[in-house]
Amino acid sequence: AETYFGVADIIGAFLAGLVLRTTPLANIIDRYIQPVSVVFLNPIFFANIGLNINLHYISPTLFYLSAALIAVAVVSKLIGCGLGAKLCGFSFKKSVQVGCGMICRGEVGLIAANKGMELGLMPSNFLPAVVVVVCATAVITPILLRITMSETPSLSVREVTQWTSAGFRKLPGGLPRALVARVVHNKE
């Protein structure tokens, strides 16, 4: 992906997964890769991130940077994803719920930070702040979801897929509708 197309390696890996998912061997591949990933690859990835963190950089300035990044992470997802949901016809409350559900940053944030360090785009003393943001948003997301969904009745999987597909039908273009239609078809 990087050599031939000039895109990030994680995008190439994601596209390879999409292609493999369409083959008849997808379930067999998944069955064999999943245990290897859980037992070996995920721990190695997180150990590598941990090895890249230099504890000498931890300071009050890093605390303020982490707090600012957490605030930006929360607000940007609330506005960006919530506005997207609102434009798709969701109510204000449901739009806020969508925004809250999207706050969590995960492995991709760590991969991007690691890649930025490798390319010299980000100083290595910022990595602890990125790790704090990933951990904080993983904790904040379910708390905010519980708060925003406290009065929302529980929904079945079928109701959620219908709710999602109703929002996607309002989007221009066939791709989102086709993806949702496939998901709804596979669930029924």
Side-chain angles (χ1 to χ4, degrees), residues 81-118:
C81 298
L83 181 62
K86 188 68 179 154
L87 291 174
C88 287
F90 290 97
S91 69
F92 178 78
K93 183 174 181 175
K94 289 192 188 310
S95 297
V96 170
Q97 291 169 346
V98 168
C100 287
M102 297 301 292
I103 289 172
C104 190
R105 295 334 198 224
E107 294 84 3
V108 175
L110 295 174
I111 292 168
N114 214 23
K115 196 66 158 173
M117 282 178 17
E118 286 176 14

Side-chain angles (χ1 to χ4, degrees), residues 61-163:
T61 305
L62 187 69
F63 172 76
Y64 297 129
L65 174 63
S66 298
L69 288 174
I70 291 167
V72 168
V74 170
V75 171
S76 65
K77 287 289 187 160
L78 279 173
I79 293 173
C81 298
L83 181 62
K86 188 68 179 154
L87 291 174
C88 287
F90 290 97
S91 69
F92 178 78
K93 183 174 181 175
K94 289 192 188 310
S95 297
V96 170
Q97 291 169 346
V98 168
C100 287
M102 297 301 292
I103 289 172
C104 190
R105 295 334 198 224
E107 294 84 3
V108 175
L110 295 174
I111 292 168
N114 214 23
K115 196 66 158 173
M117 282 178 17
E118 286 176 14
L119 296 173
L121 300 172
M122 183 181 91
S124 59
N125 59 340
F126 286 2
L127 186 60
V130 173
V131 171
V132 168
V133 169
V134 168
C135 293
T137 57
V139 171
I140 291 169
T141 300
I143 294 169
L144 289 177
L145 279 173
R146 181 170 291 263
I147 292 168
T148 60
M149 299 184 96
S150 62
E151 297 173 11
T152 303
S154 61
L155 301 171
S156 69
V157 171
R158 184 176 175 84
E159 290 170 319
V160 170
T161 55
Q162 288 172 343
W163 179 52

